[in-house]
Amino acid sequence: MAKIKTLTEFITDQQALNPGAKGDLSRLLNDIAIASKIVHREINKAGLVDILGEVGQENVQGESVKKLDLYANDQFIAAFKSGGECAAVASEEDEDIVILDGLNSQNGKYLVSIDPLDGSSNIDVNISVGTIFAVLQRKDTNKTVTKEEFFVAGKEQVAAGYVIYGSSTMLVYTTGNGVNGFTLDPSIGEFCLSHPNIQTPVIGEIYSINEANLNTMSKGVKKYVSFCQQLDDNKNRTHTARFMGSLVADFHRNLLKGGIYIYPKTTAAPLGRLRLLYECAPLAWIAEEAGGKATDGTQRILDIVPTDLHQRTPYFIGSTQMVEKAESYMNE
Ligand code: MN
Ligand code: MN
């Protein structure tokens, strides 16, 4: 039997390769792994909600039942607080930054942006959901942390990743040395290296877009979609469409199989729907580290400097040649 490498071992090995590293980032990544295991456990019994109690009610243990996205948010923030490496969190679930006041958090070296539960409306119908996270390093740990410290381009991230709670639970992350994926073995409670050095195909067959919105999208997007729908000389289709409306799940499939995911501006969402800090930027770095590409249609996502914690952006991400083709229509 091949030796299993756990996430904890992998993180320790990576740290040893970098003599300057002090281990704080490794501890922070381990905090994320622990919180995601707790979220995994809770998500896997979500179908029992009618037995265990509805949201807003008290369950049999007399605890009030929380919406799972709030539950997930609490778990990650609690893990960061007790870890002490993180000074503040920008979360989808909180209007403002959450300043952590754990034992060492005041001088925590890192900031975390997080979508604690992505695709949460899919929980009710048993479709994969996720967590997306980005880690920034603070420039000055002696200052009181402010939200402006989050307003740096995505290319400044020091770690980024996601967890997909699917038919298996997987954690995929990068610190700038490629992308590695770990699958949770629930019998031993460990994430095990299952997808070392993930590379995304330069071109794929899948396009992922909410086509019901097509008539509210720009000419360029319409042209790209109709390009995807063209037949080849033998009257065979050239692409295939896949869209679950669960960003992490759609992204993860396309990363492994090759494809493009598009959430452009629409009339209803003139700035796009997805959020730069804790959805678009972390996945953009994963895509780039795996050989793919991410833009807003014209500009590289990792170059955009945010001015708001919950800023939205149009999003084109996936296989490089597909993103470039879409961009060429956008720029016509
Ligand atoms: Mn969410
Ligand atoms: Mn989300």
Side-chain angles (χ1 to χ4, degrees), residues 209-210 213-219 221-222 264-267:
I209 186 167
N210 186 345
N213 290 330
L214 199 61
N215 287 328
T216 76
M217 293 174 187
S218 70
K219 257 202 203 113
V221 178
K222 285 181 197 158
K265 311 174 186 180
T266 64
T267 341

Side-chain angles (χ1 to χ4, degrees), residues 135-154:
V135 182
L136 294 170
Q137 182 153 13
R138 300 186 65 203
K139 302 212 163 59
D140 182 353
T141 56
N142 293 316
K143 278 200 317 204
T144 310
V145 64
T146 61
K147 73 173 178 189
E148 282 72 23
E149 289 185 48
F150 284 87
F151 298 162
V152 294

Side-chain angles (χ1 to χ4, degrees), residues 83-94:
E85 300 85 23
C86 175
V89 181
S91 165
E92 188 199 11
E93 299 300 333
D94 295 289

Side-chain angles (χ1 to χ4, degrees), residues 92 115 118-119 275 279:
E92 188 199 11
D115 181 352
D118 173 69
R275 272 69 50 94
E279 291 180 319

Side-chain angles (χ1 to χ4, degrees), residues 229-280:
Q229 293 170 337
Q230 276 170 23
L231 301 180
D232 66 14
D233 295 342
N234 299 317
K235 300 256 181 282
N236 293 318
R237 67 165 199 224
T238 54
H239 291 77
T240 189
R242 293 284 185 272
F243 188 79
M244 297 205 272
S246 209
L247 172 63
V248 167
D250 282 308
F251 174 78
H252 180 71
R253 179 200 54 237
N254 291 2
L255 180 74
L256 297 184
K257 293 196 168 178
I260 184 170
Y261 176 97
I262 303 175
Y263 209 116
K265 311 174 186 180
T266 64
T267 341
L271 302 169
R273 183 74 69 193
L274 299 172
R275 272 69 50 94
L276 181 58
L277 257 78
Y278 44 79
E279 291 180 319
C280 299

Side-chain angles (χ1 to χ4, degrees), residues 128-191:
S128 304
V129 292
T131 296
I132 310 171
F133 61 89
V135 182
L136 294 170
Q137 182 153 13
R138 300 186 65 203
K139 302 212 163 59
D140 182 353
T141 56
N142 293 316
K143 278 200 317 204
T144 310
V145 64
T146 61
K147 73 173 178 189
E148 282 72 23
E149 289 185 48
F150 284 87
F151 298 162
V152 294
K155 62 187 170 198
E156 307 281 335
Q157 293 168 117
V158 294
Y162 61 89
V163 183
I164 175 167
Y165 310 95
S167 38
S168 295
T169 290
M170 264 188 84
L171 188 151
V172 177
Y173 83 101
T174 186
T175 53
N177 292 307
V179 179
N180 292 283
F182 301 80
T183 302
L184 181 65
D185 180 342
S187 67
I188 56 169
E190 293 276 7
F191 283 106

